[in-house]
Amino acid sequence: MDLRTSLHRAAGLRARTVVLVEGTSDRHALEAVARRGGRSLAGVAIVPMGGITNIGHFLDLFGPRGLGRDLAGLYDVAEEGFVRPLAAQLHRFIGTRSGRKARYADLLAGALPPARVPPALDRLLARL
């Protein structure tokens, strides 16, 4: 049985949301806090990754290129280097292959609400 199949079965991935945690102790702690607060975790699969260094495999499996689940996560502050902020991920994605900047510039700029247009672009357009 391959990794995808075994994880799919083990985590009961009919869940709409997958929470990635470093280990089983994190899963137990999250479940206990949810119970104590009267919060239901129905529709949520809490998946221990066996350490933060495995995050790439789990993102591939559960993320947009895999099963397309909504993702959330919990990790130790000391592991921050393994989990990049979204802005850093986008910067790396767009800047790693020739032509990506040109290809996505129109889409990204077009998706910005007017209040979020970078000031430099806004000032330039105001002068034209």
Side-chain angles (χ1 to χ4, degrees):
M1 183 179 323
D2 66 359
L3 177 63
R4 176 183 292 258
T5 303
S6 62
L7 286 172
H8 189 278
R9 286 183 181 163
L13 289 182
R14 298 189 198 291
R16 66 181 183 283
T17 301
V18 173
V19 178
L20 300 175
V21 296
E22 289 188 66
T24 55
S25 63
D26 300 305
R27 184 185 76 215
H28 292 301
L30 185 56
E31 291 169 342
V33 170
R35 266 192 318 275
R36 187 182 69 206
R39 303 240 2 200
S40 170
L41 293 176
V44 176
I46 302 170
V47 180
M49 298 180 292
I52 195 68
T53 58
N54 293 320
I55 193 165
H57 302 294
F58 288 86
L59 292 176
D60 287 344
L61 176 62
F62 298 120
R65 289 184 256 165
L67 297 171
R69 300 297 189 254
D70 291 332
L71 293 174
L74 180 69
Y75 56 90
D76 297 335
V77 170
E79 310 300 343
E80 186 71 33
F82 292 100
V83 182
R84 290 186 186 91
L86 180 58
Q89 291 177 47
L90 288 172
H91 184 268
R92 182 170 181 247
F93 171 77
I94 290 174
T96 58
R97 196 174 282 185
S98 179
R100 279 191 179 162
K101 284 182 186 177
R103 182 176 177 194
Y104 291 104
D106 184 54
L107 292 170
L108 292 171
L112 282 174
R116 301 280 319 257
V117 172
L121 290 177
D122 210 24
R123 286 191 303 268
L124 175 61
L125 289 171
R127 290 192 63 188
L128 300 178

